[in-house]
Amino acid sequence: MKEIIINQPHLQSFGQKCGSAFMALVSWLLWLYFLWPLLTLAGWLMGLKSLSDEIRWFGGYKTLLELLALYGEIVLAIALFWLCWTLLLSWRHSVVAPKRTAPVTDQQLAVAFKVDLAGLGQARTGKKLTVHFDEQAGITAIRHD
């Protein structure tokens, strides 16, 4: 199957690459942090000595269940905060009217995408269009079907 999304990571800026790597790292660390009690419980049930000592040191099975309940409450609180934040932002952005920008002319589009003006007109009137890209995400050919 052909990819629908153009995957060109070399076109990302250094800041975008760093931000993406940082978010991935934080996400994996959060998963590990929240799954650690379950992994500890599984190791204890399988009889691993070091995890059994950790269970006893923290107060046994009941304390672990209390921590799991606390983790569940934290996840719920984060989800509620995220929901409220999303609703607030959507309300705020619906109230603020977007800035009007000058309309883009066909000549500007043709120059920006490095296609000829006639091909742009044909692409606009066609029902089905196939666009071919090179390795730098530049348009190499437009096929009208």
Side-chain angles (χ1 to χ4, degrees), residues 79-90:
L80 287 174
F81 174 77
W82 175 77
L83 179 66
C84 292
W85 182 254
T86 303
L87 291 174
L88 175 74
L89 285 182
S90 66

Side-chain angles (χ1 to χ4, degrees), residues 129-145:
L129 188 70
T130 305
V131 181
H132 299 275
F133 298 95
D134 61 6
E135 291 79 24
Q136 285 76 34
I139 296 174
T140 57
I142 298 175
R143 193 176 76 215
H144 309 282
D145 295 331

Side-chain angles (χ1 to χ4, degrees), residues 23-98:
M23 289 304 295
L25 178 70
V26 168
S27 299
W28 280 109
L29 288 176
L30 277 173
W31 268 110
L32 291 175
Y33 176 74
F34 286 125
L35 289 177
W36 184 250
L38 292 176
L39 297 174
T40 303
L41 179 63
W44 174 61
L45 292 173
M46 288 189 290
L48 293 175
K49 176 80 171 114
S50 63
L51 294 177
S52 178
D53 292 340
E54 187 174 335
I55 292 287
R56 281 192 299 253
W57 186 64
F58 280 117
Y61 180 74
K62 292 188 187 278
T63 304
L64 184 66
L65 288 179
E66 290 172 5
L67 284 175
L68 286 174
L70 177 65
Y71 288 153
E73 292 169 5
I74 290 171
V75 168
L76 182 63
I78 291 171
L80 287 174
F81 174 77
W82 175 77
L83 179 66
C84 292
W85 182 254
T86 303
L87 291 174
L88 175 74
L89 285 182
S90 66
W91 172 77
R92 183 174 167 249
H93 289 295
S94 68
V95 172
V96 176

